[in-house]
């Protein structure tokens, strides 16, 4: 058997599956970047991005990936020598910490491992210990793409408010945006980060920062911000079109984004969140059945703490890598690597793998991926529990009835 025939399927946590509508919207000649359709489009894009973020704040677009807005978010509100608190629940929390340190920002890291959410009591203790309010910002990951841990940003806001701490609350929603339920203003985030290649169903290359008035005031207290990253130069009233991007616009990404936002609006954001919930629960049902009689384990035990966009799993080493290779080579399905999930016993992370279920997904796609994984487990002689596909199907049926 070979996976080379037919269209391959990429079930990684970004870049996600791109809808034909998005691809068609991008399949065009280069537009005029000075007048006409493209410049006229941008104000509407920014307004609709804010609707997905559920904020009355300001949206900015950067040409770059998620790491780009990590840096942009930091340089707009912090200076070298400032202190940030980072409650990390996976690889990407540590990555944001490394970015901050490279900019001369001092980092206080609370490492909660790769299987659990932020402990609000430990978080509160760290804030109370900062009685001089040296901590200028809290850098929290809503969903860590490596571990699939989902944190409740509103809990962190309540702790900050209860303690009376003035630190900015920054939320990395790169993996969760338009997948896991997130309402920026309601949960109390001051700054939110997102990117194009996951729930927004657009190729990698553009990313977004949303900020409120408190964050804007922090930016205006700084004497100097790099001209390229400065969100003030990208978001003021009456700016010229090129200033939104500090130069030439990412033309075809914008056309794709316009189509993707239209698709989200047509479905309805609430329905988008509910669809991701249904599909995630089907995946969990299958994985929970497999792990009853075999080595497979979900990385996050508590369903309430799992992402609705990505699921991180582990087998015995090196079976995660063996499974990924088999399903790609023999069935044409690509699973995510065990990014950031290495252990002392498994330094190359050959036990871990991830299923991406974000963006342009439906029940048949999910059942196809699950069926392929089950075939791979059998082909490789990896023990598993029975009834996984039935459990996933029943989960989808029950969710539709309810």
């Amino acid at each position: 058997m070979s996976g080379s025939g037919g269209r391959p399927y990429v079930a990684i946590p970004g870049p996600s599956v791109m809808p034909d509508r998005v691809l068609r919207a991008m399949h065009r000649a280069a537009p005029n970047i000075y007048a006409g359709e493209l410049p006229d489009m941008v104000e509407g894009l920014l307004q609709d991005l804010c609707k997905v973020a559920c904020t009355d704040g300001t949206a900015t677009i950067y040409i770059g990936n998620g790491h780009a807005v990590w840096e942009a978010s930091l340089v707009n509100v912090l200076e070298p020598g400032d202190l940030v608190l980072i409650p990390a629940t996976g690889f990407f929390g540590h990555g944001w910490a490394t970015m901050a340190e490279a900019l001369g920002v001092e980092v206080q890291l609370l490492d909660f491992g790769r299987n659990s959410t932020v402990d609000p009591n430990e978080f509160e203790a760290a804030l109370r210990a900062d009685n001089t309010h040296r901590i200028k910002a809290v850098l929290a990951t809503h969903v860590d793409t490596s571990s699939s841990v989902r944190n409740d940003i509103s809990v962190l806001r309540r702790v900050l408010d209860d303690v009376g701490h003035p630190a900015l609350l920054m939320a990395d929603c790169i993996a969760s945006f338009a997948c896991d339920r997130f309402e920026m203003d309601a949960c109390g985030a001051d700054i939110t980060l997102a990117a194009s290649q996951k729930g927004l169903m657009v190729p990698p290359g553009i990313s977004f920062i949303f900020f409120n008035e408190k964050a804007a005031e922090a930016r205006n207290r700084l004497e100097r911000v790099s001209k390229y990253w400065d969100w003030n130069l990208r978001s003021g009233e009456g700016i010229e079109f090129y200033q939104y991007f500090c130069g030439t616009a990412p033309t075809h990404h914008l056309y794709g984004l316009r189509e993707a936002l239209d698709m989200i609006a047509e479905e309805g954001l609430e329905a988008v969140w509910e669809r991701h919930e249904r599909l995630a629960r089907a995946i969990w049902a299958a994985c929970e059945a497999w792990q009853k009689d075999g080595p497979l384990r979900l990385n996050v035990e508590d369903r309430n703490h799992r992402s609705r966009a990505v699921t991180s799993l582990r087998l015995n080493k090196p079976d995660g890598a063996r499974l990924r290779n088999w399903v790609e080579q023999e069935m044409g399905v690509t699973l995510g690597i065990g990014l950031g999930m290495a252990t002392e016993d498994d330094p190359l992370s050959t036990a871990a793998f991830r299923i991406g279920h974000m963006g342009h997904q439906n029940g048949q796609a999910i059942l196809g991926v699950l069926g392929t994984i089950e075939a791979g487990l059998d082909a490789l002689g990896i023990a598993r529990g029975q009834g996984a596909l039935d459990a996933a199907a029943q989960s989808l049926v029950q969710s539709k009835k309810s």
Side-chain angles (χ1 to χ4, degrees):
M1 184 185 298
S2 171
S4 61
R7 173 179 281 186
Y9 188 84
V10 180
I12 65 175
S16 66
V17 175
M18 284 179 284
D20 289 341
R21 282 178 59 177
V22 170
L23 294 172
R24 287 194 297 267
M26 298 177 69
H27 189 70
R28 63 178 67 212
N32 183 354
I33 61 171
Y34 301 107
E37 180 182 65
L38 186 71
D40 292 345
M41 182 193 305
V42 172
E43 278 299 326
L45 284 175
L46 295 171
Q47 292 170 10
D48 289 346
L49 283 166
C50 285
K51 291 177 183 176
V52 178
C54 301
T55 182
D56 292 329
T58 301
T60 54
I61 302 175
Y62 288 86
I63 304 173
N65 56 21
H67 290 65
V69 285
W70 272 354
E71 180 163 332
S73 65
L74 296 169
V75 300
N76 272 283
V77 296
L78 300 168
E79 295 178 303
D82 284 345
L83 175 65
V84 296
L85 179 65
I86 303 183
T89 55
F91 179 78
F92 286 91
H94 289 270
W96 206 359
T98 300
M99 181 74 76
E101 290 172 336
L103 294 169
V105 173
E106 186 179 340
V107 170
Q108 181 179 343
L109 186 70
L110 298 179
D111 189 354
F112 295 98
R114 299 178 294 198
N115 309 100
S116 60
T117 57
V118 175
D119 181 338
N121 294 323
E122 189 173 339
F123 179 63
E124 179 179 346
L127 292 173
R128 290 195 183 279
D130 180 38
N131 49 31
T132 61
H133 294 166
R134 279 202 64 219
I135 296 171
K136 301 301 181 185
V138 172
L139 280 54
T141 308
H142 182 218
V143 165
D144 194 290
T145 326
S146 64
S147 64
S148 69
V149 171
R150 182 180 72 160
N151 290 294
D152 188 340
I153 300 299
S154 66
V155 170
L156 305 186
R157 168 48 62 194
R158 285 198 296 271
V159 173
L160 280 161
D161 291 346
D162 289 346
V163 172
H165 200 291
L168 292 165
L169 178 56
M170 302 167 70
D172 176 347
C173 292
I174 293 166
S176 59
F177 197 70
C179 300
D180 284 87
R181 182 181 295 273
F182 178 81
E183 298 169 276
M184 177 177 168
D185 292 354
C187 76
D190 299 302
I191 297 171
T192 295
L193 282 57
S196 60
Q197 73 272 21
K198 299 182 186 287
L200 288 176
M201 308 173 288
V202 176
I206 55 175
S207 49
F208 316 97
I209 292 180
F210 305 86
F211 60 93
N212 64 12
E213 291 184 7
K214 180 180 176 181
E217 291 169 1
R219 158 62 192 91
N220 292 333
R221 287 194 294 269
L222 298 185
E223 292 185 4
R224 183 175 63 88
V225 173
S226 164
K227 186 174 182 179
Y228 186 80
W229 297 124
D230 189 352
W231 67 38
N232 278 356
L233 300 179
R234 294 169 174 262
S235 59
E237 291 186 10
I239 62 175
E240 296 186 45
F241 177 64
Y242 79 90
Q243 292 177 295
Y244 285 110
F245 311 101
C246 196
T248 304
T251 54
H252 290 65
H253 279 78
L254 297 179
Y255 282 115
L257 179 61
R258 177 65 275 163
E259 193 68 28
L261 290 170
D262 287 346
M263 291 177 67
I264 291 171
E266 289 163 14
E267 184 177 1
L269 184 57
E270 190 71 34
V272 169
W273 287 333
E274 290 175 357
R275 173 168 52 82
H276 281 84
E277 179 83 24
R278 290 195 304 273
L279 298 179
R281 289 184 177 277
I283 290 171
W284 303 340
C287 294
E288 287 162 355
W290 283 328
Q291 70 181 16
K292 286 179 181 178
D293 188 16
L296 184 139
R297 292 292 179 269
L298 284 146
N299 186 56
V300 182
E301 183 175 344
D302 189 335
R303 283 190 168 202
N304 293 322
H305 299 162
R306 294 176 191 163
S307 167
R308 276 60 175 166
V310 54
T311 296
S312 183
L313 300 137
R314 182 178 293 277
L315 290 163
N316 292 332
K317 69 170 188 177
D319 286 342
R322 291 177 65 221
L323 178 66
R324 286 192 297 101
N325 290 336
W326 191 91
V327 300
E328 183 167 29
Q329 293 167 10
E330 299 298 327
M331 303 292 279
V333 172
T334 303
L335 299 173
I337 64 172
L339 183 64
M341 299 301 285
T343 64
E344 185 176 341
D345 184 53
D346 184 21
L348 298 179
S349 195
T350 60
F353 67 98
R354 294 172 296 162
I355 305 170
H357 38 99
M358 49 179 59
H360 193 53
Q361 301 283 344
N362 58 23
Q364 63 88 11
I366 295 305
L367 289 175
V369 170
L370 294 173
T372 300
I373 292 173
E374 183 160 298
L377 293 171
D378 290 348
L380 298 173
I382 300 171
R384 62 172 176 84
Q386 300 297 309
L389 300 184
D390 284 344
Q394 286 301 312
S395 176
L396 288 170
V397 169
Q398 292 303 318
S399 65
K400 278 293 186 183
K401 288 180 178 179
S402 60

